[in-house]
Amino acid sequence: MPRGGSLTKLAYYSTVQHKVAKVRSFDHTAKEVDGDPLYEISVQEEITARLHFIKFENAYIETCLDFIKDHLVNTETKVIKATGGGAYKFKELIEKKLRLKVDKEDEMSCLIKGCNFVLKNIPHEAFVYAKHADSEFRFQNTHPDIFPYLLINIGSGVSIVKVESEDKFERIGGSSIGGGTFWGLGALLTKTKRFDELLQLASRGQHTSVDMLVKDIYGGAYGSLGLTGDLIASSFGKSATTDKEFSKEDMAKSLLHMISNDIGQLACLYARLHSLTRVYFGGFFIRGHPVTMHTITYSINFFTKGEVQALFLRHEGYLGAIGAFLKGAEEDNPNQYSWGENYAGSSGLMSVSPDLNPMQRVRSGTFDMLEMDRLERQLVNLPLLQDPSSYIPDTVDLTEDALARQYWLYCFEEALDGVVNRAVASQPDLPQAVERAEKFRQKYLHKLQTLRHQPFAYGSLTVRSLLDTREHCLNEFNFPDPYSKIKQKENDLALRYFQKVVRSLEKLTWEQRQFALVKGLLAGNVFDWGAKAVSDVLESNPEFGFEEAKHQLQERPWLVDCYDQWIARLKGPPHKCALFFVDNSGIDIILGVFPFVRELLCRGTEVVLASNSGPALNDVTNSELQILTERIAAMDSVIQAAIKEDRLTLVQSGSSSPCLDLSRLDKALAVVVRERHTDLVVIEGMGRAIHTNYYAALSCESLKLAVIKNSWLAERLGGKIFSVVFKYEIPPQSPGLRR
């Protein structure tokens, strides 16, 4: 529990009980009755770990302590971790209220621990601030290896810390001229005592009326020294020679520039001295204030000639609280897990959620609440990414593309009724389903409204983040798998046709069969309940099936058509191992993917099928795929032999999203990919191959294929609805790339 300025930040751990959908195979040894379901679905209670971080004004300290008292998970806890000035100021009050001993932790080590944690676990944590750009916040992809970096902590003074690893850091410098200097001198100059008010004055001021510029001395630029005329030659220089009163705004602005330029130059000198290019800024001086972020950014750009960028952190105000919590939880080793931001419970950058209680509603700097859920698996990069540090999962950044943002926000809002109805229909026997679904609607609608005004609230806004936020909100109100019964029905139906599809394929010539397999894969991909154009057809026409979907497909040449190159490759030697990221349940996986996989296996290629760990829309999950594979193997000798000989493997992706982030995959998947010397990656579906990974560069061959089931997106790509993308890519030749 750190205290900084007039804010206290609280970190606590809770266990969250929520519903999960489980599938379990029936015993099929007895004679089956036609119409028996393939597997049973049960909704069970599961307990997961969640970290909560709340920021509030010190005036609410007593309310906060009551809150902690009610939420303490481990009643055997005897010690509470605290860092910062508040650890001294509120020590007695905390010990009396909670009957716990206050254990003071070192502020700097807590700060570093917190910084490492957010950089590792939140993909869009760091950003560059660009005041006059269309998008003020430009989020940076976190490098897989976050070390080394420089942390410039601007509190009352300035601390400059070099961080080399999880446990190795060193304060290499600092200055007594920091945030406290700006606040103190500002108060003397303007008689304004509040820090935020001082910044507001500065944002309205003109420093040129107080500062002496190069042109004020030389009448223009000083060319021989490379100094432009607009450069500050002397901060407050005009106040000594001009006999006039200066406005509070102008003095505050001049002071802000003076402090920021001093800090910026110091930061640059230390970055150069230690050959560091990643420089993060934090402390109450920054705290998400646009005016301080802008002046620091300008200063860094000037002194490094653009070679170093000033980086800021979305959750900067929480670093000390996170670090103090991690120190207290060291015996549970939180770093052995991966954590993910829960969009449903986090309030977002520069936003205040109206549905929070009064303690949390108070404007408290950049953030009010942050929630992190512990993931069951450790997430890592796909080893086949060409350059993990430059990999960006999302194809379009809606934060920067205003037209696309407007469309997709409208699209998700329009689809909300259908999602609510589907959620209710999935739980006909559970109490308060209608009431919970309505709460989900309000929550998600509020998120969409927030993102309309603050698209940067949760990092880069993308179709993926909109889908993930919707899934998080559904889970929050105990709708873990709204499409479970639809998936069950479609899987049952598709299995009846599997052998017929395989028999018809076997009658074809080799060339005809390859085309039929690809066409089947594409037709299967049409069956996506996440696409409104398709869900409308499926709702109104239950007879719409595999053959009807084939007729909907665009004729060749396709929108993106690399089919001829793919066929030419197939005439060569077989691939060693193919990693296939699958998409939808039912016809897609059973009649589209499995025949294609079967052909690869017959060629002598091992296959790894990667499916979602948890449910999202009608995407097939790993537990469902296990059962489907078992049933297909019982009716097909090729699949059966492949499983027996360990040539067909099923793995979890580690994701519960309709999209795919190749930098956050289950560690076990990465191990399999390495061990099997995977040389082909197949990514299927709009979410995984169009909204994400369309431009992903891999170090092996890849096949990205999808049917565009959205008219607006199809037109934007130069096609029409049901246009086909079949993108086969070979990496550029480089030493050691080919086996």
Side-chain angles (χ1 to χ4, degrees):
M1 181 197 286
R3 177 189 174 268
S6 58
L7 297 172
T8 294
K9 302 92 179 181
L10 156 72
Y12 71 95
Y13 166 95
S14 77
T15 50
V16 184
Q17 194 169 20
H18 60 96
K19 296 192 185 304
V20 291
K22 297 278 188 186
V23 298
R24 188 173 66 85
S25 182
F26 283 119
D27 180 9
H28 290 286
T29 50
K31 189 173 182 340
E32 289 176 34
V33 179
D34 197 36
D36 270 4
L38 173 66
Y39 51 79
E40 67 172 330
I41 305 160
S42 62
V43 176
Q44 299 171 14
E45 295 288 343
E46 194 170 85
I47 292 173
T48 53
R50 178 172 287 175
L51 296 182
H52 305 254
F53 306 102
I54 302 173
K55 188 191 291 182
F56 57 92
E57 290 193 357
N58 288 340
Y60 293 90
I61 184 70
E62 296 226 20
T63 317
C64 166
L65 292 173
D66 289 335
F67 183 81
I68 299 175
K69 197 174 178 181
D70 294 339
H71 286 77
L72 274 177
V73 174
N74 182 359
T75 50
E76 293 174 12
T77 301
K78 300 290 180 214
V79 174
I80 189 166
K81 298 287 181 181
T83 185
Y88 296 109
K89 185 171 180 181
F90 299 123
K91 184 176 185 292
E92 281 184 29
L93 180 62
I94 294 167
E95 292 185 336
K96 183 182 165 190
K97 272 259 187 190
L98 303 182
R99 295 178 185 166
L100 296 173
K101 179 177 175 288
V102 171
D103 197 350
K104 172 90 170 68
E105 289 291 347
D106 174 65
E107 193 168 0
M108 191 51 69
S109 62
C110 287
L111 204 63
I112 302 302
K113 262 192 182 298
C115 194
N116 294 342
F117 180 84
V118 294
L119 287 173
K120 280 194 303 190
N121 288 289
I122 302 180
H124 287 157
E125 176 59 32
F127 63 88
V128 171
Y129 184 75
K131 185 182 179 183
H132 300 296
D134 290 340
S135 172
E136 290 174 88
F137 300 86
R138 291 189 176 160
F139 294 94
Q140 307 295 295
N141 257 38
T142 306
H143 193 285
D145 183 6
I146 63 169
F147 306 109
Y149 64 85
L150 205 60
L151 178 64
I152 317 292
N153 191 51
I154 315 170
S156 300
V158 179
S159 284
I160 299 175
V161 185
K162 179 184 179 182
V163 184
E164 295 183 75
S165 70
E166 200 66 57
D167 303 307
K168 189 180 178 187
F169 66 88
E170 178 190 0
R171 186 184 188 278
I172 55 174
S175 170
S176 60
I177 300 170
T181 316
F182 174 69
W183 200 347
L185 275 178
L188 290 172
L189 289 166
T190 68
K191 309 299 180 213
T192 302
K193 294 287 185 186
R194 286 181 64 88
F195 184 77
D196 287 3
E197 284 176 22
L198 200 54
L199 284 177
Q200 282 170 10
L201 286 175
S203 67
R204 298 194 298 269
Q206 289 292 331
H207 76 98
T208 51
S209 59
V210 183
D211 293 342
M212 190 174 285
L213 308 181
V214 168
K215 65 184 175 187
D216 294 324
I217 301 172
Y218 299 105
Y222 195 154
S224 61
L225 291 181
L227 303 176
T228 63
D230 291 327
L231 207 62
I232 298 172
S234 173
S235 295
F236 288 92
K238 285 180 183 171
S239 59
T241 56
T242 309
D243 190 19
K244 69 166 190 175
E245 288 288 314
F246 295 103
S247 74
K248 291 179 179 180
E249 289 82 356
D250 293 349
M251 287 190 291
K253 188 60 169 280
S254 174
L255 181 62
L256 180 66
H257 275 288
M258 183 179 86
I259 305 285
S260 298
N261 287 340
D262 187 58
I263 294 168
Q265 187 165 32
L266 258 184
C268 293
L269 290 170
Y270 278 105
R272 279 182 176 157
L273 187 64
H274 293 269
S275 304
L276 295 171
T277 54
R278 279 175 279 187
V279 183
Y280 298 103
F281 288 84
F284 82 79
F285 182 71
I286 301 294
R287 219 176 72 198
H289 293 295
V291 65
T292 57
M293 290 193 294
H294 175 62
T295 51
I296 288 286
T297 298
Y298 179 87
S299 171
I300 290 287
N301 280 342
F302 176 80
F303 288 115
T304 68
K305 296 183 170 61
E307 288 175 16
V308 174
Q309 286 185 313
L311 296 167
F312 305 97
L313 301 170
R314 280 175 60 209
H315 301 98
E316 178 277 319
Y318 282 129
L319 301 186
I322 293 170
F325 171 82
L326 293 173
K327 283 202 160 219
E330 272 174 348
E331 62 192 54
D332 297 324
N333 192 10
N335 280 324
Q336 72 180 314
Y337 303 102
S338 289
W339 299 77
E341 184 174 1
N342 174 30
Y343 296 138
S346 299
S347 42
L349 191 63
M350 300 288 190
S351 76
V352 179
S353 178
D355 56 0
L356 299 176
N357 67 43
M359 181 188 92
Q360 297 151 351
R361 195 184 298 140
V362 177
R363 181 74 176 121
S364 302
T366 307
F367 251 84
D368 304 296
M369 282 183 83
L370 163 67
E371 287 185 357
M372 301 283 290
D373 286 338
R374 191 176 81 192
L375 308 176
E376 287 178 40
R377 288 157 195 85
Q378 222 176 339
L379 303 182
V380 297
N381 278 302
L382 177 69
L384 298 169
L385 283 173
Q386 234 177 69
D387 178 14
S389 62
S390 64
Y391 167 69
I392 298 170
D394 305 284
T395 306
V396 178
D397 185 345
L398 304 181
T399 323
E400 296 187 0
D401 189 332
L403 196 66
R405 177 171 74 244
Q406 194 178 351
Y407 170 74
W408 285 111
L409 286 169
Y410 159 77
C411 195
F412 277 87
E413 195 167 323
E414 193 190 28
L416 197 48
D417 281 348
V419 178
V420 168
N421 294 339
R422 178 61 52 206
V424 173
S426 71
Q427 297 182 358
D429 307 322
L430 288 180
Q432 293 95 38
V434 174
E435 189 185 322
R436 283 186 286 112
E438 192 51 42
K439 285 181 179 174
F440 153 74
R441 181 207 299 277
Q442 295 307 321
K443 181 92 167 185
Y444 189 57
L445 199 56
H446 170 65
K447 294 286 177 192
L448 292 177
Q449 285 163 352
T450 299
L451 291 166
R452 201 165 258 123
H453 301 294
Q454 291 149 202
F456 43 76
Y458 299 102
S460 291
L461 180 64
T462 61
V463 172
R464 174 169 63 107
S465 67
L466 287 169
L467 285 163
D468 290 351
T469 303
R470 189 168 70 186
E471 293 297 325
H472 291 186
C473 291
L474 281 165
N475 279 318
E476 203 70 8
F477 294 101
N478 277 325
F479 293 106
D481 194 358
Y483 292 85
S484 56
K485 290 188 170 62
I486 285 178
K487 289 189 288 181
Q488 185 185 38
K489 184 182 167 189
E490 291 184 347
N491 286 333
D492 274 340
L493 194 63
L495 275 170
R496 296 176 198 174
Y497 293 96
F498 176 75
Q499 287 172 304
K500 184 184 172 186
V501 167
V502 169
R503 280 196 298 271
S504 67
L505 285 164
E506 284 176 337
K507 292 174 186 170
L508 302 174
T509 64
W510 185 85
E511 293 259 1
Q512 289 171 334
R513 187 164 71 252
Q514 302 319 306
F515 185 66
L517 284 163
V518 167
K519 201 168 177 184
L521 203 50
L522 293 164
N525 194 244
V526 168
F527 292 84
D528 181 355
W529 282 84
K532 196 172 184 298
V534 175
S535 61
D536 287 349
V537 171
L538 296 175
E539 292 272 18
S540 59
N541 180 14
E543 300 302 310
F544 185 85
F546 195 39
E547 294 307 315
E548 287 80 1
K550 286 180 188 175
H551 293 306
Q552 291 283 354
L553 296 177
Q554 173 192 16
E555 293 291 325
R556 287 193 70 200
W558 295 322
L559 183 62
V560 177
D561 196 331
C562 301
Y563 180 75
D564 293 341
Q565 294 93 311
W566 171 246
I567 286 299
R569 171 64 186 86
L570 288 185
K571 288 175 180 173
H575 295 90
K576 174 83 180 73
C577 177
L579 169 64
F580 198 129
F581 288 99
V582 300
D583 192 9
N584 307 302
S585 288
I587 288 174
D588 189 355
I589 184 71
I590 295 165
L591 305 184
V593 173
F594 263 103
F596 187 87
V597 164
R598 191 177 180 277
E599 183 78 9
L600 287 175
L601 291 165
C602 290
R603 277 174 58 79
T605 301
E606 293 178 11
V607 177
V608 177
L609 287 179
S611 54
N612 269 9
S613 300
L617 295 170
N618 66 315
D619 293 0
V620 67
T621 63
N622 185 259
S623 53
E624 290 161 348
L625 189 55
Q626 299 274 0
I627 295 167
L628 295 178
T629 307
E630 185 186 303
R631 290 304 309 279
I632 289 169
M635 59 174 100
D636 187 276
S637 58
V638 173
I639 301 296
Q640 191 173 55
I643 293 169
K644 201 172 179 181
E645 295 157 14
D646 199 27
R647 291 186 296 111
L648 175 60
T649 312
L650 308 187
V651 294
Q652 303 189 41
S653 65
S655 170
S656 300
S657 168
C659 297
L660 180 64
D661 181 351
L662 296 175
S663 68
R664 284 173 71 80
L665 294 175
D666 191 334
K667 196 174 182 179
L669 183 152
V671 170
V672 170
V673 163
R674 277 199 193 92
E675 285 176 349
R676 306 226 164 190
H677 305 296
T678 303
D679 54 356
L680 171 67
V681 174
V682 184
I683 307 177
E684 180 212 9
M686 257 176 69
R688 292 170 181 80
I690 305 293
H691 292 313
T692 52
N693 299 306
Y694 190 72
Y695 298 117
L698 301 176
S699 60
C700 68
E701 294 171 51
S702 64
L703 201 52
K704 298 167 188 172
L705 53 109
V707 177
I708 312 293
K709 293 151 290 200
N710 176 285
S711 299
W712 183 88
L713 181 60
E715 282 172 29
R716 203 171 217 230
L717 293 171
K720 295 176 181 173
I721 195 158
F722 298 118
S723 286
V724 169
V725 169
F726 189 88
K727 196 178 186 188
Y728 170 58
E729 293 173 303
I730 304 167
Q733 289 282 0
S734 64
L737 193 61
R738 294 288 189 189
R739 285 190 176 83

